Amino acid sequence: MLTVDKTRPVGPAGRISRVETLTLGTAWRDFSYVRVHTDSGLTGVGEITHPYRTRETCQLAEAMAGRHLIGADPFDVEEIWLRMYQGDFLRGGDVGGIVVSGVDQALYDIMGKALGVPAYRLTGGACRDRVRVYANGWYTGDREPAAFAERARATVAKGYTALKFDPFGAGLGELSRAELRRSVDIVAAVRDAVGPEIELFVEGHARFAMHTAARLVRELEPFDLGWFEEPLPWTHIERYAELRARATMPISGGEHFHNRYEYARLFATDAVDIIQPDLSMAGGFTEVRKLAAIADQHAMVVAPHNSNSPLCTTVSVHAVLGMPNFKILETFDGLLEDYVFDAVRGALPVVDGHIDLPTGPGLGIELVDEVFAEHPPSHGFWNMFAEGWEKRDRR
């Protein structure tokens, strides 16, 4: 099982014959992709974006190809997932988790194309007619209440019914009295700007000490939040349940975990109300479906994390259509340059805060090499815990 069996009868997609990677540079971050070819002429694509480790994810994807993919049948998704995870001795971590996720996406793309059906038909079908999304990245710029309020109004005017934002600046561990008041004032300004019907999610980026997080859940209570995301570091996962008991809003998290094994402590401690697996980090279609089922056992709902490109947005739509306990999907698509959509041709568009059912076979996306050549990666970096990070100026 942990080696490619080239004597096994092959399915309608043929065998994997080649694997390549591509990276696109943007003002915000570099987006990386894997493209898997079969000897029947089919290709499948997946996203392997890492915020800061672009070279590493691409190198690992290319290395894994020879070890675990070439000669395999793309329909053997469970075996390929295990072969990459167990055969490569992955023991958690972001780079390996991202590569396994992106390859898994590409396999479902190939299977859908081979069968002539959208990928979601292979992952549970559809429980809904469209997918509700929320906007992130809209608040890039000055960290002032009035500026946040203005940008929030503009984003809602585009049809979004939910927004997420981090009002906390470079806060880490604790907040000074002035910074705490400024952060709360930003949330108050956004709520006042958009009114009571728009759902607001506040991002903690897993950075506060317990006493600060406990103070924040009290301070944020008047603003009727849809959730408070990752208020505590995951090194203190056992304290999440304690914080949940104090909070009136739901607590969400889970983007930092890359498979069911890493999620085990989150489920065992009932750490959150809402899990946030990322389709490009938590194991792709094959693994996230399992996470959603386990979450359902714990009376939790699923709101996938997605700080990646429109390809991951499209992948996530396919995945959540068949997910009964799905809540809402994150998207940064409104932050991106137009050429990003040219590079990932066929990505599903956001219209009035929703994305409609896909219709094309597989994921319906093709990578356009010429656009990648025009916009090479910059390998820039911005530190989320440095002053002014919210401007997202990469260096």
Side-chain angles (χ1 to χ4, degrees):
M1 181 178 286
L2 291 183
T3 58
V4 177
D5 183 355
K6 296 184 180 179
T7 66
R8 185 184 299 169
V10 71
R15 298 188 186 276
I16 296 173
S17 58
R18 186 162 61 97
V19 176
E20 59 183 329
T21 62
L22 302 87
T23 300
L24 181 75
T26 79
W28 177 39
R29 63 172 44 165
D30 297 331
F31 294 126
S32 296
Y33 308 92
V34 61
R35 184 159 56 192
V36 178
H37 301 258
T38 74
D39 57 13
S40 68
L42 295 173
T43 60
V45 296
E47 181 147 351
I48 55 171
T49 293
H50 189 294
Y52 313 122
R53 301 185 184 112
T54 299
R55 297 181 182 92
E56 290 86 341
T57 54
C58 290
Q59 289 168 352
L60 181 59
E62 292 163 5
M64 275 195 176
R67 293 196 284 266
H68 308 301
L69 301 176
I70 302 302
D73 184 335
F75 275 78
D76 294 334
V77 288
E78 287 285 351
E79 183 180 24
I80 292 171
W81 198 102
L82 178 63
R83 192 156 58 234
M84 288 189 292
Y85 179 79
Q86 192 72 31
D88 236 54
F89 272 82
L90 296 180
R91 292 297 179 267
D94 48 2
V95 174
I98 288 170
V99 171
V100 171
S101 301
V103 170
D104 191 79
Q105 295 170 20
L107 300 183
Y108 277 86
D109 190 18
I110 290 172
M111 289 191 292
K113 289 175 180 175
L115 298 175
V117 298
Y120 78 86
R121 291 294 184 192
L122 309 174
T123 60
C127 299
R128 49 193 53 85
D129 296 327
R130 59 180 184 166
V131 171
R132 183 174 172 234
V133 303
Y134 67 87
N136 201 345
W138 55 269
Y139 57 94
T140 299
D142 293 332
R143 185 171 160 258
E144 297 293 340
F148 268 68
E150 180 181 355
R151 291 192 290 270
R153 280 191 291 266
T155 305
V156 169
K158 297 176 182 178
Y160 289 97
T161 60
L163 311 175
K164 188 169 83 178
F165 58 108
D166 181 334
F168 301 115
L172 180 62
E174 296 182 309
L175 291 172
S176 68
R177 295 181 67 84
E179 280 298 296
L180 187 145
R181 185 48 45 205
R182 185 184 190 188
S183 300
V184 174
D185 286 348
I186 288 172
V187 179
V190 172
R191 172 53 78 200
D192 184 63
V194 302
E197 298 305 316
I198 300 299
E199 202 161 14
L200 297 182
F201 310 126
V202 168
E203 167 74 83
H205 279 125
R207 67 176 179 290
F208 294 118
M210 179 64 186
H211 65 277
T212 301
R215 172 74 182 272
L216 286 169
V217 297
R218 293 196 306 271
E219 295 283 350
L220 297 174
E221 181 175 352
F223 308 116
D224 190 23
L225 300 182
W227 69 60
F228 187 9
E229 182 170 331
E230 296 199 322
L232 298 169
W234 289 103
T235 47
H236 308 317
I237 189 170
E238 289 79 8
R239 302 210 73 182
Y240 264 79
E242 181 183 344
L243 187 67
R244 281 183 62 212
R246 301 186 185 201
T248 57
M249 75 285 288
I251 302 296
S252 68
E255 69 182 72
H256 290 91
F257 303 136
H258 303 94
N259 51 60
R260 79 202 92 143
Y261 311 112
E262 293 186 30
Y263 259 93
R265 285 176 65 207
L266 180 149
F267 290 127
T269 58
D270 286 324
V272 299
D273 302 285
I274 302 160
I275 69 164
Q276 297 175 291
D278 190 311
L279 266 293
S280 287
M281 291 194 287
F285 290 106
T286 296
E287 191 74 352
V288 171
R289 290 186 69 195
K290 297 170 184 174
L291 292 173
I294 300 170
D296 190 44
Q297 288 182 314
H298 289 262
M300 299 172 181
V301 297
V302 185
H305 174 264
N306 171 34
S307 62
N308 299 316
S309 82
L311 193 154
C312 189
T313 301
T314 297
V315 166
S316 301
V317 168
H318 281 272
V320 304
L321 280 169
M323 200 175 285
N325 55 335
F326 166 72
K327 177 177 174 64
I328 194 169
L329 172 65
E330 180 174 24
T331 175
F332 278 75
D333 291 10
L335 178 70
L336 305 176
E337 298 94 334
D338 290 342
Y339 70 78
V340 176
F341 298 88
D342 296 333
V344 289
R345 186 170 57 204
L348 299 171
V350 178
V351 179
D352 291 332
H354 293 80
I355 298 178
D356 290 333
L357 279 172
T359 57
L363 297 176
I365 290 179
E366 298 296 333
L367 303 181
V368 181
D369 294 52
E370 293 79 8
V371 182
F372 282 79
E374 293 169 1
H375 301 279
S378 67
H379 302 292
F381 173 77
W382 51 268
N383 185 344
M384 190 174 293
F385 303 102
E387 195 69 35
W389 74 264
E390 64 276 0
K391 296 181 181 179
R392 294 183 171 87
D393 294 328
R394 303 174 79 226
R395 296 181 292 278

